[in-house]
Amino acid sequence: MGTVLSRRRLLGGAAGLAAAGGVLGLADLAQAALRQPAGNTGGLRVGYLPITDAAPLLVAHHSGLYAPGAVSSEKPVLFRSWAALAEAFITGHVDVVHLLMPMAVQLRYTLGGGVRVLGWNHTNGSSLTVAPHIGELSDLAGSQVAIPFWWSIHNIVLQQLLRAHGLRPVVRRSASRAQRTVELIVMSPSDMVPALADRSIGGYVVADPFNAMAQIKKIGRIHTFLGDVWRDHACCVLVTRDDVIARRPQAVQALTDGVVTAQRWIDGNRAAAAADLAGGRYLPQPVPAVQLALTYPNPPGRLTHPDWQPQRLGYQPFPFPSFTRTLVEAMGDTVVDGNRRFLDRIEAGRVHAELVDDAFVRRSLAAQGGPQAFGLPADLARTEQVEPL
Protein backbone atom coordinates (compact mmCIF):
# COMPACT_ATOMS: atom_id res chain seq x y z
CA MET A 1 0.00 0.00 0.00
CA GLY A 2 3.00 2.33 0.02
CA THR A 3 1.34 5.19 -1.80
CA VAL A 4 -0.13 8.12 0.06
CA LEU A 5 -2.75 7.29 2.61
CA SER A 6 -3.98 3.73 2.83
CA ARG A 7 -6.89 3.00 0.51
CA ARG A 8 -9.14 2.32 3.50
CA ARG A 9 -8.27 5.61 5.21
CA LEU A 10 -8.66 7.58 1.99
CA LEU A 11 -12.06 6.14 1.17
CA GLY A 12 -13.13 6.28 4.79
CA GLY A 13 -12.23 9.93 4.97
CA ALA A 14 -14.06 10.75 1.75
CA ALA A 15 -17.43 10.88 3.41
CA GLY A 16 -16.04 13.26 6.01
CA LEU A 17 -14.50 15.48 3.36
CA ALA A 18 -17.69 15.59 1.35
CA ALA A 19 -19.54 16.87 4.41
CA ALA A 20 -16.85 19.11 5.83
CA GLY A 21 -17.08 22.11 3.60
CA GLY A 22 -16.95 20.75 0.10
CA VAL A 23 -13.35 19.78 -0.61
CA LEU A 24 -14.34 16.90 -2.84
CA GLY A 25 -17.41 14.85 -3.54
CA LEU A 26 -17.45 11.25 -2.32
CA ALA A 27 -17.68 9.82 -5.83
CA ASP A 28 -14.86 12.02 -7.11
CA LEU A 29 -12.55 11.10 -4.25
CA ALA A 30 -13.32 7.40 -4.57
CA GLN A 31 -12.48 7.48 -8.27
CA ALA A 32 -9.31 9.43 -7.55
CA ALA A 33 -8.27 6.80 -5.02
CA LEU A 34 -8.53 4.13 -7.67
CA ARG A 35 -6.21 6.16 -9.89
CA GLN A 36 -3.44 6.48 -7.31
CA PRO A 37 0.05 6.13 -8.81
CA ALA A 38 2.23 3.33 -7.54
CA GLY A 39 4.76 5.72 -6.06
CA ASN A 40 7.26 8.24 -7.31
CA THR A 41 10.95 7.59 -7.67
CA GLY A 42 11.77 10.77 -9.61
CA GLY A 43 11.83 14.35 -8.41
CA LEU A 44 9.09 15.67 -6.18
CA ARG A 45 6.10 16.91 -8.15
CA VAL A 46 4.74 20.36 -7.34
CA GLY A 47 1.17 21.61 -7.79
CA TYR A 48 -0.15 25.16 -7.48
CA LEU A 49 -2.97 27.61 -8.07
CA PRO A 50 -2.21 30.64 -10.30
CA ILE A 51 -2.02 33.22 -7.50
CA THR A 52 0.88 35.18 -6.04
CA ASP A 53 0.74 32.95 -2.96
CA ALA A 54 2.54 30.30 -5.01
CA ALA A 55 5.41 32.60 -5.96
CA PRO A 56 8.17 30.95 -3.87
CA LEU A 57 7.51 27.51 -5.36
CA LEU A 58 7.42 28.96 -8.86
CA VAL A 59 10.42 31.29 -8.59
CA ALA A 60 12.48 28.43 -7.16
CA HIS A 61 11.65 26.39 -10.26
CA HIS A 62 12.22 29.26 -12.68
CA SER A 63 15.58 30.19 -11.15
CA GLY A 64 16.90 26.64 -10.73
CA LEU A 65 17.03 26.86 -6.93
CA TYR A 66 16.06 23.24 -6.35
CA ALA A 67 18.95 20.77 -6.02
CA PRO A 68 19.24 18.57 -9.12
CA GLY A 69 17.05 15.49 -8.88
CA ALA A 70 15.22 16.57 -5.76
CA VAL A 71 12.31 18.26 -7.50
CA SER A 72 10.93 17.40 -10.91
CA SER A 73 12.42 19.56 -13.65
CA GLU A 74 8.99 19.66 -15.28
CA LYS A 75 7.01 22.84 -14.84
CA PRO A 76 4.85 22.78 -11.70
CA VAL A 77 1.31 21.63 -12.42
CA LEU A 78 -1.31 24.39 -12.52
CA PHE A 79 -4.76 23.71 -11.04
CA ARG A 80 -7.79 25.98 -11.33
CA SER A 81 -9.49 25.26 -8.00
CA TRP A 82 -8.61 24.32 -4.44
CA ALA A 83 -10.72 21.16 -4.78
CA ALA A 84 -8.75 19.98 -7.81
CA LEU A 85 -5.43 20.76 -6.13
CA ALA A 86 -6.50 18.91 -2.96
CA GLU A 87 -7.56 15.85 -4.94
CA ALA A 88 -4.27 15.68 -6.79
CA PHE A 89 -2.35 16.09 -3.54
CA ILE A 90 -4.10 13.54 -1.35
CA THR A 91 -4.14 10.93 -4.12
CA GLY A 92 -0.42 11.27 -4.83
CA HIS A 93 -0.45 12.88 -8.27
CA VAL A 94 1.58 15.74 -6.83
CA ASP A 95 3.80 15.61 -3.76
CA VAL A 96 4.10 19.22 -2.61
CA VAL A 97 1.55 22.04 -2.85
CA HIS A 98 0.66 25.35 -1.32
CA LEU A 99 -2.63 25.05 0.57
CA LEU A 100 -4.80 27.36 2.58
CA MET A 101 -3.71 26.86 6.19
CA PRO A 102 -7.28 26.20 7.48
CA MET A 103 -7.73 23.74 4.62
CA ALA A 104 -4.57 21.91 5.71
CA VAL A 105 -6.08 21.61 9.21
CA GLN A 106 -9.32 20.29 7.74
CA LEU A 107 -7.56 17.71 5.57
CA ARG A 108 -5.32 16.51 8.39
CA TYR A 109 -8.16 15.85 10.79
CA THR A 110 -10.78 14.70 8.31
CA LEU A 111 -8.48 12.13 6.72
CA GLY A 112 -7.01 11.10 10.04
CA GLY A 113 -3.42 12.10 9.28
CA GLY A 114 -0.99 12.09 6.40
CA VAL A 115 -0.97 15.85 5.78
CA ARG A 116 2.06 17.80 7.00
CA VAL A 117 2.85 21.52 6.91
CA LEU A 118 6.53 22.24 6.28
CA GLY A 119 6.40 26.01 6.64
CA TRP A 120 4.66 29.17 5.55
CA ASN A 121 4.60 30.07 1.89
CA HIS A 122 3.70 33.73 2.42
CA THR A 123 2.01 36.21 4.74
CA ASN A 124 -0.74 38.76 3.98
CA GLY A 125 -1.46 39.16 0.26
CA SER A 126 -5.27 39.07 0.46
CA SER A 127 -7.93 41.78 0.50
CA LEU A 128 -11.63 42.51 0.63
CA THR A 129 -12.40 44.04 -2.76
CA VAL A 130 -15.80 45.70 -3.20
CA ALA A 131 -17.95 47.21 -5.93
CA PRO A 132 -17.56 50.97 -6.43
CA HIS A 133 -20.87 51.79 -4.71
CA ILE A 134 -19.74 50.13 -1.45
CA GLY A 135 -18.39 52.80 0.87
CA GLU A 136 -18.57 51.45 4.40
CA LEU A 137 -18.69 47.79 5.38
CA SER A 138 -22.29 48.32 6.46
CA ASP A 139 -23.15 48.86 2.77
CA LEU A 140 -22.58 45.13 2.23
CA ALA A 141 -25.76 44.32 4.18
CA GLY A 142 -28.19 42.51 1.87
CA SER A 143 -25.49 41.52 -0.65
CA GLN A 144 -23.43 38.48 -1.57
CA VAL A 145 -19.69 38.32 -0.94
CA ALA A 146 -17.56 35.64 -2.60
CA ILE A 147 -14.83 33.66 -0.84
CA PRO A 148 -12.44 31.12 -2.41
CA PHE A 149 -13.10 28.29 0.07
CA TRP A 150 -15.00 27.73 3.30
CA TRP A 151 -11.91 26.78 5.28
CA SER A 152 -9.75 29.73 4.29
CA ILE A 153 -8.21 32.65 6.14
CA HIS A 154 -10.30 34.78 3.79
CA ASN A 155 -13.57 33.45 5.20
CA ILE A 156 -12.32 33.59 8.78
CA VAL A 157 -11.09 37.20 8.67
CA LEU A 158 -14.06 38.37 6.60
CA GLN A 159 -16.45 37.06 9.23
CA GLN A 160 -14.44 38.73 11.98
CA LEU A 161 -14.72 42.00 10.06
CA LEU A 162 -18.45 41.66 9.40
CA ARG A 163 -19.29 40.87 13.01
CA ALA A 164 -17.14 43.72 14.29
CA HIS A 165 -19.24 46.08 12.16
CA GLY A 166 -22.62 44.73 13.20
CA LEU A 167 -23.19 42.45 10.21
CA ARG A 168 -24.06 38.76 10.32
CA PRO A 169 -22.62 36.27 7.80
CA VAL A 170 -25.06 33.63 6.52
CA VAL A 171 -24.86 30.69 4.13
CA ARG A 172 -27.60 29.22 1.96
CA ARG A 173 -29.84 32.11 2.92
CA SER A 174 -30.63 35.21 0.93
CA ALA A 175 -29.02 38.25 2.51
CA SER A 176 -31.29 40.87 4.03
CA ARG A 177 -30.42 44.53 4.32
CA ALA A 178 -33.02 44.97 7.07
CA GLN A 179 -31.55 42.09 9.07
CA ARG A 180 -27.98 43.23 8.31
CA THR A 181 -26.97 39.87 6.90
CA VAL A 182 -24.36 39.12 4.21
CA GLU A 183 -24.59 35.91 2.20
CA LEU A 184 -21.27 34.14 1.65
CA ILE A 185 -20.72 32.05 -1.46
CA VAL A 186 -17.72 30.02 -2.62
CA MET A 187 -16.42 31.05 -6.02
CA SER A 188 -13.31 30.27 -8.05
CA PRO A 189 -10.94 33.27 -7.92
CA SER A 190 -10.95 33.54 -11.71
CA ASP A 191 -14.74 33.99 -11.64
CA MET A 192 -14.71 36.73 -9.01
CA VAL A 193 -13.53 39.58 -11.23
CA PRO A 194 -16.27 39.15 -13.86
CA ALA A 195 -18.88 38.60 -11.14
CA LEU A 196 -17.92 41.91 -9.54
CA ALA A 197 -17.92 43.60 -12.93
CA ASP A 198 -21.52 42.60 -13.64
CA ARG A 199 -22.56 43.43 -10.06
CA SER A 200 -23.80 39.92 -9.28
CA ILE A 201 -21.78 40.16 -6.04
CA GLY A 202 -21.05 43.10 -3.77
CA GLY A 203 -17.47 42.09 -3.18
CA TYR A 204 -14.99 39.27 -2.77
CA VAL A 205 -12.17 38.26 -0.46
CA VAL A 206 -9.28 36.50 -2.15
CA ALA A 207 -5.53 36.41 -2.72
CA ASP A 208 -3.82 38.62 -5.23
CA PRO A 209 -3.48 39.36 -8.09
CA PHE A 210 -7.28 39.28 -8.31
CA ASN A 211 -7.64 42.32 -6.07
CA ALA A 212 -5.07 44.15 -8.17
CA MET A 213 -6.99 43.13 -11.30
CA ALA A 214 -10.14 44.87 -10.02
CA GLN A 215 -8.12 48.02 -9.40
CA ILE A 216 -6.56 47.97 -12.87
CA LYS A 217 -9.86 47.21 -14.62
CA LYS A 218 -11.58 49.90 -12.50
CA ILE A 219 -14.47 47.59 -11.66
CA GLY A 220 -13.93 47.68 -7.91
CA ARG A 221 -11.60 48.82 -5.20
CA ILE A 222 -9.73 47.35 -2.29
CA HIS A 223 -11.62 48.14 0.89
CA THR A 224 -9.53 46.27 3.48
CA PHE A 225 -6.23 44.44 3.37
CA LEU A 226 -6.59 41.32 5.54
CA GLY A 227 -3.16 42.08 6.96
CA ASP A 228 -4.77 45.18 8.49
CA VAL A 229 -6.98 42.87 10.56
CA TRP A 230 -4.58 40.03 11.41
CA ARG A 231 -0.99 41.18 11.36
CA ASP A 232 1.31 39.11 9.14
CA HIS A 233 -1.09 36.18 9.07
CA ALA A 234 -0.27 33.09 7.06
CA CYS A 235 -2.57 32.40 4.14
CA CYS A 236 -1.01 29.56 2.14
CA VAL A 237 1.45 27.11 3.62
CA LEU A 238 3.90 24.63 2.13
CA VAL A 239 2.39 21.16 2.46
CA THR A 240 3.51 17.60 1.80
CA ARG A 241 2.55 14.17 3.12
CA ASP A 242 4.06 11.96 5.79
CA ASP A 243 4.85 9.25 3.24
CA VAL A 244 6.86 11.70 1.13
CA ILE A 245 8.89 12.78 4.16
CA ALA A 246 9.52 9.16 5.16
CA ARG A 247 10.53 8.10 1.66
CA ARG A 248 12.54 11.13 0.52
CA PRO A 249 13.64 13.34 3.43
CA GLN A 250 16.67 14.70 1.55
CA ALA A 251 14.48 15.79 -1.35
CA VAL A 252 12.05 17.46 1.06
CA GLN A 253 14.97 19.34 2.61
CA ALA A 254 16.21 20.41 -0.81
CA LEU A 255 12.76 21.62 -1.79
CA THR A 256 12.40 23.59 1.44
CA ASP A 257 15.85 25.11 0.93
CA GLY A 258 14.84 26.22 -2.56
CA VAL A 259 11.57 27.75 -1.40
CA VAL A 260 13.22 29.64 1.47
CA THR A 261 15.94 30.96 -0.85
CA ALA A 262 13.23 32.08 -3.29
CA GLN A 263 11.30 33.84 -0.53
CA ARG A 264 14.31 35.90 0.43
CA TRP A 265 15.07 36.75 -3.21
CA ILE A 266 11.48 37.79 -4.00
CA ASP A 267 11.40 40.15 -1.04
CA GLY A 268 14.28 42.15 -2.50
CA ASN A 269 13.41 41.77 -6.19
CA ARG A 270 9.66 42.20 -6.47
CA ALA A 271 9.48 43.76 -9.92
CA ALA A 272 11.78 41.10 -11.36
CA ALA A 273 9.75 38.38 -9.67
CA ALA A 274 6.56 39.73 -11.24
CA ALA A 275 8.17 39.64 -14.68
CA ASP A 276 9.35 36.05 -14.13
CA LEU A 277 5.90 34.86 -13.04
CA ALA A 278 3.30 36.75 -15.05
CA GLY A 279 2.11 36.92 -18.63
CA GLY A 280 1.58 33.18 -18.98
CA ARG A 281 4.94 31.98 -17.70
CA TYR A 282 3.42 30.62 -14.50
CA LEU A 283 0.55 33.03 -13.82
CA PRO A 284 -1.95 33.95 -16.55
CA GLN A 285 -2.43 37.51 -15.28
CA PRO A 286 -0.58 40.39 -16.98
CA VAL A 287 2.68 41.71 -15.55
CA PRO A 288 1.16 45.04 -14.33
CA ALA A 289 -1.37 43.21 -12.14
CA VAL A 290 1.21 40.88 -10.60
CA GLN A 291 3.67 43.73 -10.13
CA LEU A 292 1.00 45.82 -8.38
CA ALA A 293 0.15 42.86 -6.14
CA LEU A 294 3.80 42.45 -5.14
CA THR A 295 4.45 46.13 -4.48
CA TYR A 296 1.37 48.33 -3.84
CA PRO A 297 3.65 51.41 -3.69
CA ASN A 298 0.67 53.64 -2.87
CA PRO A 299 -1.77 51.33 -1.12
CA PRO A 300 -5.42 51.98 -1.96
CA GLY A 301 -8.01 52.25 0.78
CA ARG A 302 -7.70 53.24 4.38
CA LEU A 303 -5.11 51.61 6.62
CA THR A 304 -6.01 51.16 10.27
CA HIS A 305 -2.50 49.97 11.11
CA PRO A 306 -0.10 51.54 8.61
CA ASP A 307 2.86 50.49 10.74
CA TRP A 308 1.90 46.86 10.08
CA GLN A 309 2.41 47.41 6.34
CA PRO A 310 -0.72 45.33 5.76
CA GLN A 311 -0.65 45.87 2.00
CA ARG A 312 2.71 44.16 1.70
CA LEU A 313 2.68 40.57 0.50
CA GLY A 314 5.28 38.97 2.73
CA TYR A 315 7.52 36.00 2.19
CA GLN A 316 8.90 34.42 5.32
CA PRO A 317 8.90 30.68 6.00
CA PHE A 318 8.64 30.06 9.72
CA PRO A 319 5.31 28.64 10.99
CA PHE A 320 4.61 30.26 14.35
CA PRO A 321 2.79 27.99 16.83
CA SER A 322 0.86 30.98 18.18
CA PHE A 323 -0.73 31.45 14.75
CA THR A 324 -1.82 27.82 14.47
CA ARG A 325 -3.49 27.90 17.86
CA THR A 326 -5.26 31.22 17.24
CA LEU A 327 -6.35 30.05 13.81
CA VAL A 328 -7.92 26.84 15.11
CA GLU A 329 -9.74 28.81 17.79
CA ALA A 330 -11.06 31.19 15.11
CA MET A 331 -12.20 28.27 12.96
CA GLY A 332 -14.53 27.31 15.78
CA ASP A 333 -16.31 30.67 15.42
CA THR A 334 -16.53 30.57 11.61
CA VAL A 335 -19.72 29.80 9.68
CA VAL A 336 -19.29 27.28 6.86
CA ASP A 337 -21.59 25.35 4.58
CA GLY A 338 -20.73 21.84 5.68
CA ASN A 339 -19.98 19.48 8.53
CA ARG A 340 -17.75 20.93 11.25
CA ARG A 341 -17.53 17.83 13.43
CA PHE A 342 -13.78 17.40 12.91
CA LEU A 343 -13.29 20.52 15.06
CA ASP A 344 -14.85 18.70 18.01
CA ARG A 345 -12.08 16.12 17.89
CA ILE A 346 -9.12 18.49 18.10
CA GLU A 347 -7.55 20.63 20.78
CA ALA A 348 -6.24 24.00 19.62
CA GLY A 349 -3.09 23.76 21.71
CA ARG A 350 -2.07 20.42 20.18
CA VAL A 351 -2.74 21.03 16.50
CA HIS A 352 0.59 22.67 15.72
CA ALA A 353 2.66 19.76 17.00
CA GLU A 354 0.47 17.26 15.15
CA LEU A 355 0.25 19.14 11.87
CA VAL A 356 3.54 21.02 11.46
CA ASP A 357 7.04 19.62 10.95
CA ASP A 358 9.34 22.64 11.18
CA ALA A 359 12.64 20.71 11.26
CA PHE A 360 13.26 21.28 7.55
CA VAL A 361 12.52 25.00 7.59
CA ARG A 362 14.68 25.53 10.69
CA ARG A 363 17.64 24.06 8.79
CA SER A 364 16.81 26.21 5.76
CA LEU A 365 16.69 29.32 7.94
CA ALA A 366 20.07 28.46 9.44
CA ALA A 367 21.53 28.16 5.94
CA GLN A 368 20.27 31.69 5.17
CA GLY A 369 21.97 33.13 8.25
CA GLY A 370 19.26 32.55 10.82
CA PRO A 371 15.88 34.14 11.59
CA GLN A 372 17.31 37.64 11.35
CA ALA A 373 17.72 37.18 7.59
CA PHE A 374 13.93 37.46 7.40
CA GLY A 375 13.50 39.99 10.18
CA LEU A 376 12.19 37.31 12.52
CA PRO A 377 12.77 37.23 16.29
CA ALA A 378 15.74 35.14 17.37
CA ASP A 379 13.57 32.95 19.61
CA LEU A 380 11.05 32.37 16.79
CA ALA A 381 8.12 33.29 18.99
CA ARG A 382 5.48 35.96 18.62
CA THR A 383 2.13 37.16 19.94
CA GLU A 384 -0.76 37.28 17.48
CA GLN A 385 -2.32 40.68 16.78
CA VAL A 386 -5.92 40.42 15.53
CA GLU A 387 -7.91 43.65 15.47
CA PRO A 388 -10.99 43.64 13.20
CA LEU A 389 -11.98 47.22 14.04
Side-chain angles (χ1 to χ4, degrees), residues 295-310:
T295 58
Y296 282 122
N298 298 300
R302 296 162 293 183
L303 299 183
T304 303
H305 306 97
D307 57 311
W308 291 6
Q309 291 190 292

Side-chain angles (χ1 to χ4, degrees), residues 72-334:
S72 173
S73 60
E74 297 295 320
K75 191 174 181 180
V77 183
L78 186 153
F79 295 87
R80 294 292 181 180
S81 71
W82 290 113
L85 182 63
E87 176 181 316
F89 171 66
I90 63 178
T91 57
H93 289 76
V94 291
D95 302 304
V96 180
V97 295
H98 66 110
L99 281 184
L100 301 160
M101 179 62 169
M103 187 181 188
V105 175
Q106 179 200 16
L107 287 177
R108 173 81 187 187
Y109 291 101
T110 304
L111 290 175
V115 177
R116 188 72 66 176
V117 171
L118 296 171
W120 287 3
N121 215 46
H122 74 107
T123 59
N124 299 339
S126 299
S127 307
L128 167 61
T129 292
V130 298
H133 70 279
I134 301 295
E136 303 298 326
L137 273 177
S138 58
D139 295 335
L140 287 172
S143 67
Q144 287 185 327
V145 175
I147 59 174
F149 199 76
W150 291 116
W151 292 119
S152 64
I153 195 71
H154 313 91
N155 188 30
I156 290 168
V157 174
L158 172 63
Q159 292 191 26
Q160 291 174 331
L161 265 175
L162 294 177
R163 292 190 179 102
H165 289 81
L167 300 172
R168 182 161 57 93
V170 296
V171 299
R172 291 197 179 186
R173 286 180 52 191
S174 295
S176 165
R177 188 163 185 82
Q179 296 178 6
R180 297 182 63 78
T181 56
V182 177
E183 183 185 5
L184 306 182
I185 57 172
V186 170
M187 185 177 290
S188 171
S190 60
D191 293 331
M192 292 180 179
V193 175
L196 190 67
D198 67 20
R199 299 295 181 262
S200 59
I201 57 175
Y204 57 74
V205 185
V206 74
D208 262 316
F210 295 98
N211 306 291
M213 286 292 290
Q215 297 276 137
I216 289 174
K217 290 177 175 289
K218 302 186 185 305
I219 60 167
R221 65 182 183 84
I222 292 175
H223 184 283
T224 304
F225 290 98
L226 299 197
D228 210 14
V229 179
W230 191 331
R231 185 174 190 175
D232 292 335
H233 62 275
C235 177
C236 282
V237 291
L238 187 64
V239 179
T240 190
R241 299 181 306 273
D242 285 333
D243 68 292
V244 176
I245 293 174
R247 191 174 67 244
R248 304 202 60 199
Q250 291 181 328
V252 172
Q253 184 65 64
L255 178 134
T256 308
D257 289 345
V259 166
V260 172
T261 301
Q263 287 174 318
R264 190 176 180 187
W265 182 84
I266 293 169
D267 196 43
N269 299 273
R270 291 173 178 257
D276 289 344
L277 295 172
R281 291 177 175 85
Y282 295 91
L283 305 181
Q285 298 87 5
V287 172
V290 178
Q291 186 165 332
L292 179 60
L294 288 176
T295 58
Y296 282 122
N298 298 300
R302 296 162 293 183
L303 299 183
T304 303
H305 306 97
D307 57 311
W308 291 6
Q309 291 190 292
Q311 78 282 4
R312 189 171 178 80
L313 178 57
Y315 293 105
Q316 78 81 12
F318 188 74
F320 288 100
S322 59
F323 175 81
T324 306
R325 179 176 189 135
T326 306
L327 176 72
V328 174
E329 292 170 346
M331 290 172 69
D333 297 327
T334 302

